Amino acid sequence: MATIKKGIKKDAKKALVKVSEKSVKNAIKKTAPPKEAPVKAASSAPVTAGLLSGAVTTESTALDTLYITNESNIQVTLSVNAGAQGQTSNMTITLDDKIIIKNLAGDFGETALGTNIKIAGKVLRIVATIADTSRLTNFTSLTIHLKGGQENSDFPLSKTVDQEGDSADYICRIEFFKS
């Protein structure tokens, strides 16, 4: 478990541009699972599924998972929805050590990352701070959409902040793995 925490912390520092080191450390402390609990990847179920059925949903602002690719020349694409209406964001996305976008405010539109065969073994990192600027709710969210690999996948993350105007730090690491 210590290795996972160190890996997430190291990855977050590499991808971090404008988000302060202190806010990342606080995010890691707040989102790290208890020592006995296994690390879980975000499910591909829609964020609203639990909300509509009245079920209690689990909030998470950290993601460390694999995205399965194949040996094709099909492009793998990424898009990211940073919060709902009334939320603001600051997001940095890197692929290995290459910065894809830095200090983006808002959503990241669908962008090709590379072909399945060329992207295998690379690591995608997304670090975002979502500020609750909506008067209607304190709910913040980040949804990552990957297409073109073995299967299309959505990774919904969310956190309800304590007060209007608070922010939540999201730290994501996705490794592209050839099946």
Side-chain angles (χ1 to χ4, degrees):
M1 185 55 69
T3 303
I4 292 171
K5 286 182 186 176
K6 286 180 185 176
I8 291 172
K9 188 174 181 180
K10 182 179 177 185
D11 291 341
K13 284 184 180 178
K14 281 184 179 179
L16 188 65
V17 173
K18 215 169 190 184
V19 179
S20 73
E21 186 174 325
K22 183 178 178 182
S23 65
V24 172
K25 286 180 181 176
N26 287 339
I28 290 169
K29 282 182 193 174
K30 291 177 185 176
T31 60
K35 290 184 179 182
E36 301 79 41
V39 175
K40 295 180 183 177
S43 78
S44 58
V47 168
T48 56
L51 299 174
L52 295 176
S53 67
V56 176
T57 59
T58 303
E59 294 184 333
S60 177
T61 59
L63 175 68
D64 188 7
T65 193
L66 298 175
Y67 182 72
I68 308 300
T69 61
N70 53 45
E71 294 186 9
S72 75
N73 286 316
I74 296 172
Q75 289 287 331
V76 173
T77 64
L78 166 72
S79 61
V80 182
N81 297 106
Q85 186 176 12
Q87 307 296 313
T88 58
S89 69
N90 181 357
M91 180 173 22
T92 296
I93 302 172
T94 62
L95 183 60
D96 279 347
D97 292 329
K98 181 183 174 195
I99 295 174
I100 296 172
I101 192 81
K102 179 172 144 178
N103 300 327
L104 174 67
D107 292 343
F108 181 72
E110 189 170 8
T111 302
L113 299 177
T115 63
N116 274 262
I117 196 73
K118 289 186 178 180
I119 204 168
K122 294 188 178 193
V123 176
L124 178 71
R125 292 175 181 87
I126 302 170
V127 176
T129 299
I130 310 288
D132 168 38
T133 52
S134 170
R135 295 197 180 272
L136 302 176
T137 180
N138 290 344
F139 181 78
T140 68
S141 65
L142 182 82
T143 305
I144 301 164
H145 309 279
L146 286 169
K147 295 180 183 176
Q150 194 75 25
E151 291 183 18
N152 295 343
S153 295
D154 294 331
F155 302 97
L157 303 167
S158 65
K159 179 177 181 171
T160 301
V161 295
D162 294 332
Q163 298 178 36
E164 185 176 322
D166 284 354
S167 62
D169 295 319
Y170 291 82
I171 302 170
C172 308
R173 178 186 184 280
I174 301 170
E175 183 174 345
F176 296 99
F177 184 80
K178 185 177 76 168
S179 61

